[in-house]
PDB file of all heavy atoms in Angstrom:
ATOM      1  N   PRO A 268     -16.015 -85.790 -42.407  1.00 79.00           N
ATOM      2  CA  PRO A 268     -16.835 -86.874 -41.964  1.00 79.00           C
ATOM      3  C   PRO A 268     -16.421 -88.195 -42.668  1.00 79.00           C
ATOM      4  O   PRO A 268     -16.457 -88.272 -43.869  1.00 79.00           O
ATOM      5  CB  PRO A 268     -18.268 -86.458 -42.354  1.00 79.00           C
ATOM      6  CG  PRO A 268     -18.201 -84.965 -42.516  1.00 79.00           C
ATOM      7  CD  PRO A 268     -16.818 -84.738 -43.033  1.00 79.00           C
ATOM      8  N   LEU A 269     -16.012 -89.165 -41.895  1.00 81.00           N
ATOM      9  CA  LEU A 269     -15.436 -90.380 -42.505  1.00 81.00           C
ATOM     10  C   LEU A 269     -16.485 -91.177 -43.302  1.00 81.00           C
ATOM     11  O   LEU A 269     -16.071 -91.980 -44.155  1.00 81.00           O
ATOM     12  CB  LEU A 269     -14.875 -91.269 -41.422  1.00 81.00           C
ATOM     13  CG  LEU A 269     -13.669 -90.675 -40.647  1.00 81.00           C
ATOM     14  CD1 LEU A 269     -13.136 -91.672 -39.634  1.00 81.00           C
ATOM     15  CD2 LEU A 269     -12.604 -90.205 -41.605  1.00 81.00           C
ATOM     16  N   ARG A 270     -17.753 -90.867 -43.086  1.00 81.00           N
ATOM     17  CA  ARG A 270     -18.745 -91.577 -43.887  1.00 81.00           C
ATOM     18  C   ARG A 270     -18.628 -91.208 -45.378  1.00 81.00           C
ATOM     19  O   ARG A 270     -19.052 -91.946 -46.252  1.00 81.00           O
ATOM     20  CB  ARG A 270     -20.178 -91.235 -43.410  1.00 81.00           C
ATOM     21  CG  ARG A 270     -20.534 -89.776 -43.465  1.00 81.00           C
ATOM     22  CD  ARG A 270     -21.955 -89.565 -42.884  1.00 81.00           C
ATOM     23  NE  ARG A 270     -22.238 -88.095 -42.747  1.00 81.00           N
ATOM     24  CZ  ARG A 270     -21.902 -87.397 -41.647  1.00 81.00           C
ATOM     25  NH1 ARG A 270     -21.314 -88.017 -40.630  1.00 81.00           N
ATOM     26  NH2 ARG A 270     -22.211 -86.116 -41.568  1.00 81.00           N
ATOM     27  N   ILE A 271     -18.054 -90.011 -45.669  1.00 79.00           N
ATOM     28  CA  ILE A 271     -17.840 -89.631 -47.084  1.00 79.00           C
ATOM     29  C   ILE A 271     -16.848 -90.561 -47.719  1.00 79.00           C
ATOM     30  O   ILE A 271     -17.026 -90.934 -48.890  1.00 79.00           O
ATOM     31  CB  ILE A 271     -17.375 -88.152 -47.134  1.00 79.00           C
ATOM     32  CG1 ILE A 271     -18.518 -87.212 -46.736  1.00 79.00           C
ATOM     33  CG2 ILE A 271     -16.837 -87.805 -48.532  1.00 79.00           C
ATOM     34  CD1 ILE A 271     -18.092 -85.777 -46.741  1.00 79.00           C
ATOM     35  N   LEU A 272     -15.854 -91.005 -46.973  1.00 80.00           N
ATOM     36  CA  LEU A 272     -14.837 -91.922 -47.543  1.00 80.00           C
ATOM     37  C   LEU A 272     -15.327 -93.380 -47.522  1.00 80.00           C
ATOM     38  O   LEU A 272     -14.722 -94.222 -48.163  1.00 80.00           O
ATOM     39  CB  LEU A 272     -13.554 -91.807 -46.763  1.00 80.00           C
ATOM     40  CG  LEU A 272     -12.840 -90.457 -46.787  1.00 80.00           C
ATOM     41  CD1 LEU A 272     -11.545 -90.516 -45.965  1.00 80.00           C
ATOM     42  CD2 LEU A 272     -12.536 -90.034 -48.206  1.00 80.00           C
ATOM     43  N   ALA A 273     -16.359 -93.636 -46.715  1.00 78.00           N
ATOM     44  CA  ALA A 273     -16.835 -95.019 -46.556  1.00 78.00           C
ATOM     45  C   ALA A 273     -17.460 -95.586 -47.808  1.00 78.00           C
ATOM     46  O   ALA A 273     -17.518 -96.759 -48.057  1.00 78.00           O
ATOM     47  CB  ALA A 273     -17.790 -95.158 -45.394  1.00 78.00           C
ATOM     48  N   ASP A 274     -17.958 -94.669 -48.678  1.00 82.00           N
ATOM     49  CA  ASP A 274     -18.584 -95.086 -49.969  1.00 82.00           C
ATOM     50  C   ASP A 274     -17.488 -95.548 -50.907  1.00 82.00           C
ATOM     51  O   ASP A 274     -16.570 -94.737 -51.255  1.00 82.00           O
ATOM     52  CB  ASP A 274     -19.379 -93.908 -50.537  1.00 82.00           C
ATOM     53  CG  ASP A 274     -20.074 -94.270 -51.821  1.00 82.00           C
ATOM     54  OD1 ASP A 274     -19.458 -94.438 -52.885  1.00 82.00           O
ATOM     55  OD2 ASP A 274     -21.313 -94.427 -51.746  1.00 82.00           O
ATOM     56  N   ARG A 275     -17.547 -96.752 -51.313  1.00 85.00           N
ATOM     57  CA  ARG A 275     -16.462 -97.341 -52.119  1.00 85.00           C
ATOM     58  C   ARG A 275     -16.291 -96.665 -53.485  1.00 85.00           C
ATOM     59  O   ARG A 275     -15.170 -96.471 -53.977  1.00 85.00           O
ATOM     60  CB  ARG A 275     -16.627 -98.818 -52.315  1.00 85.00           C
ATOM     61  CG  ARG A 275     -17.935 -99.208 -53.048  1.00 85.00           C
ATOM     62  CD  ARG A 275     -18.111-100.728 -53.054  1.00 85.00           C
ATOM     63  NE  ARG A 275     -17.138-101.360 -53.918  1.00 85.00           N
ATOM     64  CZ  ARG A 275     -16.965-102.690 -54.007  1.00 85.00           C
ATOM     65  NH1 ARG A 275     -17.715-103.497 -53.267  1.00 85.00           N
ATOM     66  NH2 ARG A 275     -16.048-103.203 -54.815  1.00 85.00           N
ATOM     67  N   ASN A 276     -17.427 -96.215 -54.030  1.00 85.00           N
ATOM     68  CA  ASN A 276     -17.349 -95.520 -55.346  1.00 85.00           C
ATOM     69  C   ASN A 276     -16.674 -94.177 -55.208  1.00 85.00           C
ATOM     70  O   ASN A 276     -15.829 -93.794 -56.013  1.00 85.00           O
ATOM     71  CB  ASN A 276     -18.755 -95.385 -55.892  1.00 85.00           C
ATOM     72  CG  ASN A 276     -19.477 -96.721 -56.095  1.00 85.00           C
ATOM     73  OD1 ASN A 276     -18.876 -97.636 -56.630  1.00 85.00           O
ATOM     74  ND2 ASN A 276     -20.672 -96.798 -55.616  1.00 85.00           N
ATOM     75  N   ARG A 277     -17.023 -93.461 -54.167  1.00 85.00           N
ATOM     76  CA  ARG A 277     -16.465 -92.156 -53.945  1.00 85.00           C
ATOM     77  C   ARG A 277     -14.944 -92.285 -53.628  1.00 85.00           C
ATOM     78  O   ARG A 277     -14.123 -91.515 -54.090  1.00 85.00           O
ATOM     79  CB  ARG A 277     -17.195 -91.420 -52.839  1.00 85.00           C
ATOM     80  CG  ARG A 277     -16.997 -89.909 -52.856  1.00 85.00           C
ATOM     81  CD  ARG A 277     -17.875 -89.228 -51.855  1.00 85.00           C
ATOM     82  NE  ARG A 277     -19.270 -89.389 -52.176  1.00 85.00           N
ATOM     83  CZ  ARG A 277     -20.181 -89.974 -51.389  1.00 85.00           C
ATOM     84  NH1 ARG A 277     -19.815 -90.413 -50.217  1.00 85.00           N
ATOM     85  NH2 ARG A 277     -21.435 -90.073 -51.807  1.00 85.00           N
ATOM     86  N   ALA A 278     -14.594 -93.273 -52.812  1.00 86.00           N
ATOM     87  CA  ALA A 278     -13.194 -93.536 -52.458  1.00 86.00           C
ATOM     88  C   ALA A 278     -12.371 -93.868 -53.696  1.00 86.00           C
ATOM     89  O   ALA A 278     -11.259 -93.385 -53.892  1.00 86.00           O
ATOM     90  CB  ALA A 278     -13.094 -94.628 -51.414  1.00 86.00           C
ATOM     91  N   GLY A 279     -12.937 -94.629 -54.616  1.00 88.00           N
ATOM     92  CA  GLY A 279     -12.265 -94.948 -55.860  1.00 88.00           C
ATOM     93  C   GLY A 279     -12.025 -93.741 -56.706  1.00 88.00           C
ATOM     94  O   GLY A 279     -10.971 -93.618 -57.355  1.00 88.00           O
ATOM     95  N   ALA A 280     -13.017 -92.824 -56.748  1.00 88.00           N
ATOM     96  CA  ALA A 280     -12.869 -91.597 -57.535  1.00 88.00           C
ATOM     97  C   ALA A 280     -11.739 -90.753 -56.918  1.00 88.00           C
ATOM     98  O   ALA A 280     -10.942 -90.189 -57.673  1.00 88.00           O
ATOM     99  CB  ALA A 280     -14.184 -90.829 -57.514  1.00 88.00           C
ATOM    100  N   TYR A 281     -11.708 -90.611 -55.611  1.00 87.00           N
ATOM    101  CA  TYR A 281     -10.650 -89.826 -54.965  1.00 87.00           C
ATOM    102  C   TYR A 281      -9.276 -90.441 -55.277  1.00 87.00           C
ATOM    103  O   TYR A 281      -8.301 -89.692 -55.631  1.00 87.00           O
ATOM    104  CB  TYR A 281     -10.839 -89.824 -53.457  1.00 87.00           C
ATOM    105  CG  TYR A 281     -12.077 -89.097 -52.985  1.00 87.00           C
ATOM    106  CD1 TYR A 281     -12.695 -89.476 -51.825  1.00 87.00           C
ATOM    107  CD2 TYR A 281     -12.626 -88.042 -53.705  1.00 87.00           C
ATOM    108  CE1 TYR A 281     -13.826 -88.803 -51.322  1.00 87.00           C
ATOM    109  CE2 TYR A 281     -13.724 -87.371 -53.249  1.00 87.00           C
ATOM    110  CZ  TYR A 281     -14.364 -87.769 -52.094  1.00 87.00           C
ATOM    111  OH  TYR A 281     -15.467 -87.076 -51.669  1.00 87.00           O
ATOM    112  N   LEU A 282      -9.140 -91.733 -55.204  1.00 88.00           N
ATOM    113  CA  LEU A 282      -7.854 -92.397 -55.511  1.00 88.00           C
ATOM    114  C   LEU A 282      -7.408 -92.170 -56.925  1.00 88.00           C
ATOM    115  O   LEU A 282      -6.275 -91.922 -57.215  1.00 88.00           O
ATOM    116  CB  LEU A 282      -7.952 -93.892 -55.175  1.00 88.00           C
ATOM    117  CG  LEU A 282      -6.744 -94.737 -55.425  1.00 88.00           C
ATOM    118  CD1 LEU A 282      -5.566 -94.280 -54.512  1.00 88.00           C
ATOM    119  CD2 LEU A 282      -7.046 -96.217 -55.175  1.00 88.00           C
ATOM    120  N   ALA A 283      -8.391 -92.247 -57.868  1.00 88.00           N
ATOM    121  CA  ALA A 283      -8.056 -92.072 -59.273  1.00 88.00           C
ATOM    122  C   ALA A 283      -7.630 -90.670 -59.552  1.00 88.00           C
ATOM    123  O   ALA A 283      -6.635 -90.474 -60.288  1.00 88.00           O
ATOM    124  CB  ALA A 283      -9.309 -92.387 -60.112  1.00 88.00           C
ATOM    125  N   VAL A 284      -8.235 -89.670 -58.963  1.00 87.00           N
ATOM    126  CA  VAL A 284      -7.852 -88.308 -59.182  1.00 87.00           C
ATOM    127  C   VAL A 284      -6.466 -88.028 -58.682  1.00 87.00           C
ATOM    128  O   VAL A 284      -5.581 -87.441 -59.318  1.00 87.00           O
ATOM    129  CB  VAL A 284      -8.866 -87.325 -58.554  1.00 87.00           C
ATOM    130  CG1 VAL A 284      -8.314 -85.907 -58.538  1.00 87.00           C
ATOM    131  CG2 VAL A 284     -10.197 -87.348 -59.289  1.00 87.00           C
ATOM    132  N   ALA A 285      -6.194 -88.525 -57.446  1.00 84.00           N
ATOM    133  CA  ALA A 285      -4.870 -88.324 -56.853  1.00 84.00           C
ATOM    134  C   ALA A 285      -3.753 -88.951 -57.702  1.00 84.00           C
ATOM    135  O   ALA A 285      -2.708 -88.346 -57.956  1.00 84.00           O
ATOM    136  CB  ALA A 285      -4.842 -88.920 -55.432  1.00 84.00           C
ATOM    137  N   THR A 286      -4.003 -90.171 -58.186  1.00 84.00           N
ATOM    138  CA  THR A 286      -2.956 -90.856 -58.947  1.00 84.00           C
ATOM    139  C   THR A 286      -2.791 -90.260 -60.306  1.00 84.00           C
ATOM    140  O   THR A 286      -1.658 -90.183 -60.832  1.00 84.00           O
ATOM    141  CB  THR A 286      -3.303 -92.352 -59.035  1.00 84.00           C
ATOM    142  OG1 THR A 286      -3.619 -92.853 -57.733  1.00 84.00           O
ATOM    143  CG2 THR A 286      -2.119 -93.157 -59.588  1.00 84.00           C
ATOM    144  N   ALA A 287      -3.863 -89.855 -60.959  1.00 82.00           N
ATOM    145  CA  ALA A 287      -3.760 -89.251 -62.267  1.00 82.00           C
ATOM    146  C   ALA A 287      -2.864 -87.998 -62.243  1.00 82.00           C
ATOM    147  O   ALA A 287      -2.061 -87.772 -63.144  1.00 82.00           O
ATOM    148  CB  ALA A 287      -5.159 -88.903 -62.851  1.00 82.00           C
ATOM    149  N   VAL A 288      -3.033 -87.237 -61.149  1.00 78.00           N
ATOM    150  CA  VAL A 288      -2.263 -85.989 -61.070  1.00 78.00           C
ATOM    151  C   VAL A 288      -0.778 -86.309 -60.822  1.00 78.00           C
ATOM    152  O   VAL A 288       0.136 -85.565 -61.230  1.00 78.00           O
ATOM    153  CB  VAL A 288      -2.788 -85.093 -59.954  1.00 78.00           C
ATOM    154  CG1 VAL A 288      -1.915 -83.868 -59.750  1.00 78.00           C
ATOM    155  CG2 VAL A 288      -4.204 -84.677 -60.291  1.00 78.00           C
ATOM    156  N   VAL A 289      -0.453 -87.438 -60.147  1.00 75.00           N
ATOM    157  CA  VAL A 289       0.936 -87.853 -59.989  1.00 75.00           C
ATOM    158  C   VAL A 289       1.593 -87.977 -61.361  1.00 75.00           C
ATOM    159  O   VAL A 289       2.692 -87.481 -61.562  1.00 75.00           O
ATOM    160  CB  VAL A 289       1.008 -89.197 -59.207  1.00 75.00           C
ATOM    161  CG1 VAL A 289       2.408 -89.777 -59.250  1.00 75.00           C
ATOM    162  CG2 VAL A 289       0.551 -89.012 -57.766  1.00 75.00           C
ATOM    163  N   GLY A 290       0.925 -88.667 -62.244  1.00 71.00           N
ATOM    164  CA  GLY A 290       1.480 -88.840 -63.575  1.00 71.00           C
ATOM    165  C   GLY A 290       1.642 -87.540 -64.296  1.00 71.00           C
ATOM    166  O   GLY A 290       2.653 -87.280 -64.943  1.00 71.00           O
ATOM    167  N   ALA A 291       0.595 -86.702 -64.237  1.00 72.00           N
ATOM    168  CA  ALA A 291       0.630 -85.453 -64.987  1.00 72.00           C
ATOM    169  C   ALA A 291       1.714 -84.518 -64.483  1.00 72.00           C
ATOM    170  O   ALA A 291       2.513 -83.984 -65.287  1.00 72.00           O
ATOM    171  CB  ALA A 291      -0.739 -84.768 -64.881  1.00 72.00           C
ATOM    172  N   PHE A 292       1.815 -84.329 -63.190  1.00 69.00           N
ATOM    173  CA  PHE A 292       2.786 -83.390 -62.679  1.00 69.00           C
ATOM    174  C   PHE A 292       4.221 -83.889 -62.844  1.00 69.00           C
ATOM    175  O   PHE A 292       5.104 -83.095 -63.087  1.00 69.00           O
ATOM    176  CB  PHE A 292       2.584 -83.154 -61.162  1.00 69.00           C
ATOM    177  CG  PHE A 292       1.542 -82.075 -60.894  1.00 69.00           C
ATOM    178  CD1 PHE A 292       0.341 -82.039 -61.566  1.00 69.00           C
ATOM    179  CD2 PHE A 292       1.807 -81.072 -59.970  1.00 69.00           C
ATOM    180  CE1 PHE A 292      -0.593 -81.081 -61.320  1.00 69.00           C
ATOM    181  CE2 PHE A 292       0.890 -80.074 -59.752  1.00 69.00           C
ATOM    182  CZ  PHE A 292      -0.316 -80.068 -60.408  1.00 69.00           C
ATOM    183  N   GLY A 293       4.394 -85.214 -62.810  1.00 69.00           N
ATOM    184  CA  GLY A 293       5.707 -85.785 -63.128  1.00 69.00           C
ATOM    185  C   GLY A 293       6.138 -85.473 -64.542  1.00 69.00           C
ATOM    186  O   GLY A 293       7.256 -85.099 -64.803  1.00 69.00           O
ATOM    187  N   VAL A 294       5.197 -85.564 -65.468  1.00 74.00           N
ATOM    188  CA  VAL A 294       5.493 -85.288 -66.879  1.00 74.00           C
ATOM    189  C   VAL A 294       5.782 -83.797 -67.073  1.00 74.00           C
ATOM    190  O   VAL A 294       6.731 -83.423 -67.802  1.00 74.00           O
ATOM    191  CB  VAL A 294       4.376 -85.702 -67.775  1.00 74.00           C
ATOM    192  CG1 VAL A 294       4.507 -85.137 -69.201  1.00 74.00           C
ATOM    193  CG2 VAL A 294       4.326 -87.272 -67.909  1.00 74.00           C
ATOM    194  N   PHE A 295       5.008 -82.935 -66.449  1.00 74.00           N
ATOM    195  CA  PHE A 295       5.215 -81.504 -66.593  1.00 74.00           C
ATOM    196  C   PHE A 295       6.620 -81.116 -66.121  1.00 74.00           C
ATOM    197  O   PHE A 295       7.312 -80.374 -66.842  1.00 74.00           O
ATOM    198  CB  PHE A 295       4.176 -80.730 -65.776  1.00 74.00           C
ATOM    199  CG  PHE A 295       2.788 -80.894 -66.283  1.00 74.00           C
ATOM    200  CD1 PHE A 295       1.739 -80.827 -65.405  1.00 74.00           C
ATOM    201  CD2 PHE A 295       2.488 -81.178 -67.618  1.00 74.00           C
ATOM    202  CE1 PHE A 295       0.406 -81.034 -65.827  1.00 74.00           C
ATOM    203  CE2 PHE A 295       1.175 -81.329 -68.069  1.00 74.00           C
ATOM    204  CZ  PHE A 295       0.156 -81.265 -67.142  1.00 74.00           C
ATOM    205  N   LEU A 296       7.043 -81.593 -65.021  1.00 72.00           N
ATOM    206  CA  LEU A 296       8.379 -81.262 -64.464  1.00 72.00           C
ATOM    207  C   LEU A 296       9.454 -81.851 -65.359  1.00 72.00           C
ATOM    208  O   LEU A 296      10.460 -81.203 -65.696  1.00 72.00           O
ATOM    209  CB  LEU A 296       8.509 -81.740 -63.023  1.00 72.00           C
ATOM    210  CG  LEU A 296       9.783 -81.294 -62.286  1.00 72.00           C
ATOM    211  CD1 LEU A 296       9.836 -79.793 -62.209  1.00 72.00           C
ATOM    212  CD2 LEU A 296       9.829 -81.968 -60.936  1.00 72.00           C
ATOM    213  N   THR A 297       9.262 -83.135 -65.717  1.00 77.00           N
ATOM    214  CA  THR A 297      10.268 -83.790 -66.507  1.00 77.00           C
ATOM    215  C   THR A 297      10.454 -83.166 -67.900  1.00 77.00           C
ATOM    216  O   THR A 297      11.574 -82.837 -68.317  1.00 77.00           O
ATOM    217  CB  THR A 297       9.897 -85.302 -66.686  1.00 77.00           C
ATOM    218  OG1 THR A 297       9.941 -85.924 -65.417  1.00 77.00           O
ATOM    219  CG2 THR A 297      10.856 -85.973 -67.654  1.00 77.00           C
ATOM    220  N   LEU A 298       9.341 -82.966 -68.585  1.00 82.00           N
ATOM    221  CA  LEU A 298       9.448 -82.444 -69.941  1.00 82.00           C
ATOM    222  C   LEU A 298       9.857 -81.002 -69.984  1.00 82.00           C
ATOM    223  O   LEU A 298      10.503 -80.539 -70.943  1.00 82.00           O
ATOM    224  CB  LEU A 298       8.076 -82.580 -70.690  1.00 82.00           C
ATOM    225  CG  LEU A 298       7.696 -84.020 -71.102  1.00 82.00           C
ATOM    226  CD1 LEU A 298       6.417 -84.029 -71.905  1.00 82.00           C
ATOM    227  CD2 LEU A 298       8.828 -84.680 -71.923  1.00 82.00           C
ATOM    228  N   THR A 299       9.484 -80.192 -68.948  1.00 79.00           N
ATOM    229  CA  THR A 299       9.932 -78.824 -68.911  1.00 79.00           C
ATOM    230  C   THR A 299      11.424 -78.738 -68.921  1.00 79.00           C
ATOM    231  O   THR A 299      12.059 -77.966 -69.686  1.00 79.00           O
ATOM    232  CB  THR A 299       9.358 -78.104 -67.697  1.00 79.00           C
ATOM    233  OG1 THR A 299       7.946 -78.026 -67.791  1.00 79.00           O
ATOM    234  CG2 THR A 299       9.918 -76.735 -67.546  1.00 79.00           C
ATOM    235  N   TYR A 300      12.098 -79.504 -68.039  1.00 79.00           N
ATOM    236  CA  TYR A 300      13.551 -79.480 -67.952  1.00 79.00           C
ATOM    237  C   TYR A 300      14.192 -80.192 -69.160  1.00 79.00           C
ATOM    238  O   TYR A 300      15.259 -79.731 -69.606  1.00 79.00           O
ATOM    239  CB  TYR A 300      14.002 -80.107 -66.606  1.00 79.00           C
ATOM    240  CG  TYR A 300      14.048 -79.059 -65.519  1.00 79.00           C
ATOM    241  CD1 TYR A 300      12.909 -78.751 -64.827  1.00 79.00           C
ATOM    242  CD2 TYR A 300      15.204 -78.356 -65.237  1.00 79.00           C
ATOM    243  CE1 TYR A 300      12.901 -77.795 -63.808  1.00 79.00           C
ATOM    244  CE2 TYR A 300      15.208 -77.358 -64.223  1.00 79.00           C
ATOM    245  CZ  TYR A 300      14.059 -77.082 -63.544  1.00 79.00           C
ATOM    246  OH  TYR A 300      14.113 -76.112 -62.551  1.00 79.00           O
ATOM    247  N   TYR A 301      13.599 -81.219 -69.675  1.00 85.00           N
ATOM    248  CA  TYR A 301      14.096 -81.873 -70.863  1.00 85.00           C
ATOM    249  C   TYR A 301      14.148 -80.930 -72.045  1.00 85.00           C
ATOM    250  O   TYR A 301      15.141 -80.789 -72.724  1.00 85.00           O
ATOM    251  CB  TYR A 301      13.283 -83.132 -71.237  1.00 85.00           C
ATOM    252  CG  TYR A 301      13.754 -83.768 -72.511  1.00 85.00           C
ATOM    253  CD1 TYR A 301      14.865 -84.625 -72.563  1.00 85.00           C
ATOM    254  CD2 TYR A 301      13.048 -83.512 -73.681  1.00 85.00           C
ATOM    255  CE1 TYR A 301      15.327 -85.166 -73.748  1.00 85.00           C
ATOM    256  CE2 TYR A 301      13.443 -84.082 -74.884  1.00 85.00           C
ATOM    257  CZ  TYR A 301      14.594 -84.916 -74.897  1.00 85.00           C
ATOM    258  OH  TYR A 301      15.041 -85.457 -76.073  1.00 85.00           O
ATOM    259  N   LEU A 302      13.006 -80.259 -72.259  1.00 87.00           N
ATOM    260  CA  LEU A 302      12.883 -79.387 -73.441  1.00 87.00           C
ATOM    261  C   LEU A 302      13.801 -78.163 -73.367  1.00 87.00           C
ATOM    262  O   LEU A 302      14.433 -77.754 -74.337  1.00 87.00           O
ATOM    263  CB  LEU A 302      11.450 -78.946 -73.637  1.00 87.00           C
ATOM    264  CG  LEU A 302      10.467 -80.042 -74.069  1.00 87.00           C
ATOM    265  CD1 LEU A 302       9.033 -79.518 -74.033  1.00 87.00           C
ATOM    266  CD2 LEU A 302      10.824 -80.606 -75.439  1.00 87.00           C
TER     267      LEU A 302
END
Side-chain angles (χ1 to χ4, degrees):
L269 296 183
R270 59 181 172 274
I271 290 178
L272 298 179
D274 184 286
R275 60 185 293 171
N276 300 313
R277 200 173 295 122
Y281 294 151
L282 179 62
V284 169
T286 310
V288 176
V289 170
F292 274 49
V294 166
F295 295 149
L296 187 63
T297 294
L298 287 184
T299 294
Y300 273 85
Y301 174 80
L302 292 173

